[in-house]
Amino acid sequence: MPTKTPPEKERCSWCLKFEQYVKYHDEEWGVPVHDDQTHFEFLILEGAQAGLSWSTILKKREGYKKVFANFDPNKVSKFNDKKIETILLNPAIVRNRLKVYAAVNNAKRFLEIQKEFGSFDFYIWSFVNHNPIQNKWKNLREVPATTKESDALSKDLIKRGFKFVGSTVIYAHMQACGLVNDHIKDCFRYKEINFLSSQQKNNPYNTDQNSE
């Protein structure tokens, strides 16, 4: 059984169950992402999570990385039916046929967005005007499951042919990849993510990144 990690620092309460959750919360969740391969990774993982717990997916993350070619959308887009059937025999992932087929389909759609916009990163960040949304929640109960931004992004992705990209799934992606800062205000990561978001050092589309 995973051991609980004592909350020596104030953290968002959702992450306190397991050490793996804490590590993910402390090091990744909410950090602004501007790498297309990372975006594709989270699209696969968040889609796989639908109807399941995030802890289930975190435990299988390495398995997904191996099975889905290090989350390379070019390689995944070329998976054929034979390859998919082999994947569905692998216990390292959630063996859901619809989700695996969706991942391959989404890889193709992902490449189409890259071709149209130059990068998936530019496309997805345009839904928040290329600046992270900084929320100020006092407790976990205030954090929404969806927003108007996730609704709009989900609707557009579905129109483009993506699967397993409902607004709840997409908002989870936005939270994970730093398009929105949903750390609770008392969480030690809230100010750190706020600072990282204000810098946007890796975002070539933010013309205000050098301003005071």
Side-chain angles (χ1 to χ4, degrees):
M1 291 290 291
T3 57
K4 290 188 177 182
T5 299
E8 68 278 2
K9 294 180 179 179
E10 191 70 31
R11 291 181 170 90
C12 300
S13 59
W14 61 262
C15 78
L16 298 179
K17 294 181 180 180
F18 309 117
E19 288 185 12
Q20 196 171 19
Y21 257 18
V22 173
K23 180 178 174 62
Y24 171 68
H25 169 275
D26 289 2
E27 298 177 8
E28 292 186 77
W29 196 69
V31 175
V33 167
H34 294 292
D35 172 71
D36 270 15
Q37 202 151 321
T38 303
H39 278 301
F40 183 63
E41 173 182 0
F42 276 100
L43 280 176
I44 288 182
L45 297 179
E46 299 290 358
Q49 183 200 357
L52 303 171
S53 68
W54 185 236
S55 62
T56 298
I57 304 305
L58 276 182
K59 292 171 184 175
K60 292 180 177 290
R61 191 175 186 178
E62 281 302 311
Y64 272 93
K65 183 177 181 179
K66 292 177 182 178
V67 168
F68 287 99
N70 197 30
F71 302 112
D72 184 334
N74 286 286
K75 292 180 180 178
V76 175
S77 70
K78 295 180 176 64
F79 286 4
N80 56 26
D81 287 346
K82 184 178 179 180
K83 175 71 171 178
I84 291 173
E85 291 303 319
T86 300
I87 289 173
L88 288 168
L89 297 174
N90 194 330
I93 67 163
V94 175
R95 290 177 286 182
N96 180 298
R97 183 176 299 273
L98 290 177
K99 290 178 179 179
V100 173
Y101 269 95
V104 177
N105 168 77
N106 290 352
K108 296 173 183 177
R109 306 292 82 80
F110 192 94
L111 296 178
E112 290 169 358
I113 285 180
Q114 285 183 324
K115 185 176 181 179
E116 180 178 348
F117 292 90
S119 70
F120 185 85
D121 184 64
F122 181 87
Y123 163 79
I124 194 171
W125 277 91
S126 70
F127 285 84
V128 293
N129 198 29
H130 301 288
N131 285 290
I133 297 170
Q134 300 299 315
N135 288 318
K136 298 179 180 179
W137 311 121
K138 293 181 180 179
N139 57 67
L140 197 61
R141 292 187 300 274
E142 295 180 336
V143 181
T146 63
T147 62
K148 63 180 182 180
E149 289 84 8
S150 69
D151 289 346
L153 176 53
S154 170
K155 183 178 180 180
D156 195 70
L157 288 168
I158 291 170
K159 185 175 69 175
R160 292 172 180 277
F162 282 76
K163 307 295 183 183
F164 284 94
V165 289
S167 190
T168 301
V169 170
I170 290 305
Y171 193 60
H173 183 101
M174 293 173 69
Q175 291 173 312
C177 295
L179 282 79
V180 55
N181 181 3
D182 267 353
H183 285 275
I184 303 304
K185 280 191 69 178
D186 289 340
C187 175
F188 85 97
R189 283 293 279 168
Y190 177 79
K191 289 184 178 179
E192 294 179 355
I193 296 297
N194 203 329
F195 175 75
L196 289 173
S197 299
S198 70
Q199 298 301 297
Q200 285 286 301
K201 290 180 180 179
N202 297 321
N203 186 352
Y205 316 116
N206 186 354
T207 57
D208 297 327
Q209 63 180 321
N210 295 317
S211 62
E212 294 296 332

